[in-house]
Amino acid sequence: IAAAPTDMSERIDCIVTEWSERGYGFLQTSDSRRAYVHASAFGGGNLMKGESVNCIIVEDPQSPGKWQARSLQRGSLYEAPTGQAPAAYRPVEDHIDYVQPPEYRRQPAYRVVED
């Protein structure tokens, strides 16, 4: 079993594998852990099975040896913000930049450019 991040700023990509309309479910992390998530971890509402999210994974205080998601945000860490690329990024048109894992290559590749 992989160790939990010790720095609370370490976020990890996850996929929602189960979600109950009662406000809780489970995530599959990019490092193959299964984590419990409650709607309070993202301000309430519902998630959809298969949705990409990112969060901080910590040991579940109520179930030692199991994982819990905290500070969940919708979307992958590898996706550009919806609508347009950040100001410091420009699209790479002439080739694919293989920085991202294969499952995230559906989005246009971006490269940091310095002004």
Side-chain angles (χ1 to χ4, degrees):
I1 296 177
T6 55
D7 179 2
M8 288 301 282
S9 67
E10 289 188 41
R11 302 189 73 77
I12 188 167
D13 277 325
C14 303
I15 300 292
V16 179
T17 57
E18 299 175 48
W19 186 258
S20 168
E21 295 298 319
R22 294 179 2 197
Y24 67 90
F26 293 91
L27 308 174
Q28 182 73 38
T29 67
S30 58
D31 62 3
S32 300
R33 291 180 282 173
R34 184 173 186 253
Y36 170 81
V37 62
H38 189 268
S40 62
F42 59 95
N46 288 306
L47 297 173
M48 294 176 48
K49 185 176 178 179
E51 184 175 355
S52 293
V53 297
N54 69 83
C55 59
I56 297 168
I57 300 293
V58 297
E59 190 166 355
D60 190 332
Q62 295 180 347
S63 300
K66 296 187 178 183
W67 305 106
Q68 177 183 27
R70 296 242 174 108
S71 188
L72 184 137
Q73 297 175 347
R74 294 176 188 268
S76 166
L77 293 170
Y78 295 100
E79 293 174 355
T82 306
Q84 63 183 18
Y89 292 81
R90 303 287 188 274
V92 176
E93 303 287 339
D94 56 340
H95 70 284
I96 296 174
D97 197 354
Y98 289 99
V99 173
Q100 300 172 345
E103 60 269 23
Y104 298 111
R105 290 196 190 128
R106 289 174 260 133
Q107 301 293 324
Y110 292 87
R111 179 186 311 148
V112 176
V113 292
E114 295 184 25
D115 292 327

